[in-house]
């Protein structure tokens, strides 16, 4: 190990890992320092000082004000429900609505590709959709939200050309990310509705099961409050919404301005991608998985039978009564056992209906 120039295997492994974007480096650096300064109180306090410095940088890029009253929130929330209803009826364009487990997005004015929609993964690969691919910003968003922010001098008039509504169900989340710097100007403005929540900075997500690391900075977000991100908070560290912070339904309206030089998908490329997806879906519809068994119209109304329950039921029928097990494999065991036993007794009464089973020794 010394001959190769490394005295610690961790140093060698670290040298082999390519550098990632600034937001990820901040999180990894914080984790490395925490591991390094965990042995002594002096070193641990050094790590805590580092976290305080990071937190102060994040705070410097955050502005938060309470503008909307409870009554105004109720009116806007009713409008959000109308958006959800129209989406369920299929009244919006294809790229206006983006559904995910416990979280739906509604793009207005401008929409963009992200996550699994990207042709190439990684930061900087996001692209705006072609003009006309998403619906225009609804009038009520201008009248009830944007104009009020302009009146309170939160944003200048004409600033917003992109509005996104994120609708979260309890336990919903959005993973750590930085709003694409090459697409959106700063600040990033968001207004919260339905319930209180929190915005966390510098977290790292793990999945199966989902876990989230301790945030560098935790920002409470109240119903009716307006949050603006710029500087360090918007560009140099990731932000997220953790599942544990969505205890009730929560919606947020994100107001942004796209950059003039933001990259945009070409209409030809977009149509090809949509056509390929439609063709793939059509093939799946035309070629379903087939079964040689006859369809049973009553099967959908019967309780699901597990493999372990099948074995349990077989034993309850074949074995003598004094050798049958008394423990149950599932909550539906008694009902299935009763049905099978009844059928078995009927079979004894009719010799022709008895099914012969050939037993094989192993």
């Amino acid at each position: 190990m010394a001959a190769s120039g490394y005295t610690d295997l961790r140093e060698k492994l670290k040298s082999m890992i390519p550098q990632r974007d600034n937001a990820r480096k901040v999180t990894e650096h914080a984790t490395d320092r925490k591991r390094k300064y965990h042995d002594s109180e002096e070193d641990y306090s050094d790590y805590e000082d580092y976290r305080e410095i990071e937190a102060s940088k994040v705070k410097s890029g955050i502005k938060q004000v309470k503008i909307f009253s409870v009554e105004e929130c109720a009116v806007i929330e009713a409008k959000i429900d109308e958006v959800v209803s129209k989406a369920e009826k299929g009244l919006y364009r294809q790229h206006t609505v983006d559904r995910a487990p416990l979280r739906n997005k509604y793009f207005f004015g401008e929409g963009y590709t992200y996550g699994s929609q990207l042709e190439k993964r990684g930061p900087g690969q996001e692209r705006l959709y072609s003009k006309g691919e998403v619906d225009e910003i609804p009038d009520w968003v201008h009248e009830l939200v944007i104009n009020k922010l302009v009146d309170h001098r939160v944003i200048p008039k004409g600033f917003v050309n992109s509005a996104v509504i994120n609708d979260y169900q309890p336990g919903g989340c959005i993973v750590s990310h930085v709003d694409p710097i090459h697409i959106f100007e700063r600040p990033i403005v968001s207004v919260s509705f339905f319930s209180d929540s929190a915005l966390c900075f510098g977290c790292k997500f793990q999945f199966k099961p989902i876990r989230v690391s301790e945030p560098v900075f935790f920002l409470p977000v109240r119903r009716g409050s307006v949050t603006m991100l710029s500087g360090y908070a918007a560009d140099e560290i990731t932000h997220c919404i953790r599942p544990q912070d969505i205890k009730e339904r929560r919606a947020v309206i994100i107001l942004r301005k796209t950059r003039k030089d933001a990259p945009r998908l070409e209409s030809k490329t977009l149509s090809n991608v949509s056509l390929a997806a439609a063709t793939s879906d059509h093939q799946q519809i035309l070629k379903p998985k087939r079964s040689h068994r006859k369809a049973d119209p009553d099967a959908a109304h019967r309780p699901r039978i597990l493999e372990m329950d099948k074995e349990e039921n077989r034993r309850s029928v074949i074995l003598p009564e004094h050798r049958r097990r008394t423990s149950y494999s599932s909550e539906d065991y008694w009902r299935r056992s009763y049905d099978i036993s009844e059928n078995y007794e009927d079979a004894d009464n009719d010799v022709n209906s008895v099914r012969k089973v050939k037993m094989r020794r192993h």
Side-chain angles (χ1 to χ4, degrees):
M1 187 67 70
S4 61
Y6 296 100
T7 58
D8 192 325
L9 179 59
R10 290 174 295 182
E11 296 180 5
K12 184 175 181 180
L13 292 175
K14 187 176 180 181
S15 67
M16 297 168 64
I17 300 175
Q19 296 295 325
R20 310 304 287 266
D21 55 284
N22 291 337
R24 183 168 180 176
K25 285 194 294 184
V26 170
T27 305
E28 291 178 349
H29 185 50
T31 305
D32 291 341
R33 289 178 64 90
K34 186 173 182 179
R35 291 174 180 172
K36 182 178 179 181
Y37 299 120
H38 189 265
D39 296 334
S40 66
E41 293 183 1
E42 181 180 355
D43 293 337
Y44 185 75
S45 63
D46 187 20
Y47 168 72
E48 289 299 314
D49 292 341
Y50 164 78
R51 287 180 61 85
E52 289 182 6
I53 294 174
E54 285 293 296
S56 64
K57 291 180 181 178
V58 174
K59 290 171 64 177
S60 67
I62 298 174
K63 290 183 179 179
Q64 200 171 52
V65 292
K66 179 69 182 293
I67 293 180
F68 297 89
S69 66
V70 174
E71 293 75 16
E72 290 172 326
C73 286
V75 173
I76 295 171
E77 288 161 2
K79 294 294 184 180
I80 294 175
D81 285 336
E82 291 180 8
V83 170
V84 174
S85 179
K86 290 182 65 175
E88 290 176 350
K89 295 176 182 177
L91 301 180
Y92 288 125
R93 298 172 188 174
Q94 178 184 358
H95 296 292
T96 295
V97 184
D98 178 34
R99 302 185 186 277
L102 303 178
R103 189 273 298 148
N104 290 337
K105 273 181 176 288
Y106 305 95
F107 291 95
F108 296 104
E110 294 281 7
Y112 67 100
T113 60
Y114 67 98
S116 60
Q117 303 168 356
L118 300 178
E119 295 181 0
K120 294 181 180 180
R121 294 295 185 93
Q125 298 299 324
E126 298 87 354
R127 297 290 184 270
L128 289 172
Y129 285 120
S130 300
K131 286 288 187 180
E133 292 293 334
V134 302
D135 288 81
E136 294 298 323
I137 299 176
D139 292 338
W140 66 264
V141 175
H142 284 287
E143 296 169 3
L144 302 179
V145 183
I146 297 176
N147 290 347
K148 185 156 185 120
L149 297 182
V150 172
D151 293 341
H152 283 74
R153 298 184 178 180
V154 174
I155 53 176
K157 187 176 182 179
F159 177 80
V160 176
N161 68 346
S162 170
V164 180
I165 300 176
N166 285 352
D167 188 11
Y168 299 92
Q169 298 302 317
C173 68
I174 186 167
V175 298
S176 298
H177 67 283
V178 172
D179 289 37
I181 300 175
H182 63 291
I183 290 183
F184 296 110
E185 300 279 3
R186 272 41 178 167
I188 307 297
V189 182
S190 62
V191 192
S192 297
F193 298 101
F194 286 108
S195 66
D196 297 343
S197 183
L199 194 62
C200 292
F201 295 82
C203 292
K204 186 175 182 181
F205 275 66
Q206 293 181 338
F207 301 92
K208 296 182 181 180
I210 188 168
R211 303 179 301 282
V212 188
S213 65
E214 182 183 357
V216 171
F217 184 71
F218 177 91
L219 177 69
V221 180
R222 308 299 181 189
R223 179 190 181 200
S225 65
V226 181
T227 304
M228 293 154 283
L229 302 182
S230 60
Y232 195 91
D235 301 339
E236 302 297 333
I237 192 169
T238 60
H239 60 272
C240 68
I241 296 175
R242 304 181 301 175
Q244 58 265 44
D245 295 327
I246 305 292
K247 298 178 175 62
E248 304 176 47
R249 182 191 176 190
R250 184 229 180 187
V252 58
I253 300 179
I254 305 172
L255 306 172
R256 294 176 288 203
K257 179 181 180 180
T258 57
R259 296 172 59 93
K260 294 182 179 180
D261 58 350
R264 190 180 295 274
L265 285 177
E266 298 179 1
S267 300
K268 183 178 179 180
T269 303
L270 185 63
S271 60
N272 290 339
V273 173
S274 301
L275 180 62
T279 303
S280 177
D281 293 341
H282 185 60
Q283 290 176 350
Q284 291 178 359
I285 295 173
L286 293 178
K287 297 181 179 180
K289 185 176 181 181
R290 297 177 180 244
S291 173
H292 296 290
R293 299 179 182 179
K294 292 184 179 180
D296 186 352
D298 298 327
H301 303 286
R302 295 175 183 169
R304 186 178 62 176
I305 301 177
L306 306 178
E307 291 297 327
M308 59 186 292
D309 293 330
K310 292 179 181 178
E311 178 66 16
E312 191 70 28
N313 295 336
R314 186 185 69 81
R315 287 176 177 270
S316 67
V317 173
I318 296 176
L319 295 180
E321 185 175 357
H322 68 279
R323 292 184 58 191
R324 296 177 188 173
R325 293 175 56 184
T326 58
S327 60
Y328 303 145
S329 300
S330 73
E331 59 182 339
D332 295 323
Y333 169 75
W334 178 85
R335 179 179 298 177
R336 292 194 295 272
S337 298
Y338 177 81
D339 295 339
I340 294 175
S341 299
E342 185 179 17
N343 295 335
Y344 183 73
E345 291 173 0
D346 293 341
D348 286 341
N349 296 331
D350 187 357
V351 178
N352 294 330
S353 64
V354 175
R355 181 180 180 183
K356 296 181 180 180
V357 180
K358 183 178 180 180
M359 305 299 293
R360 182 175 298 175
R361 295 181 178 273
H362 296 281

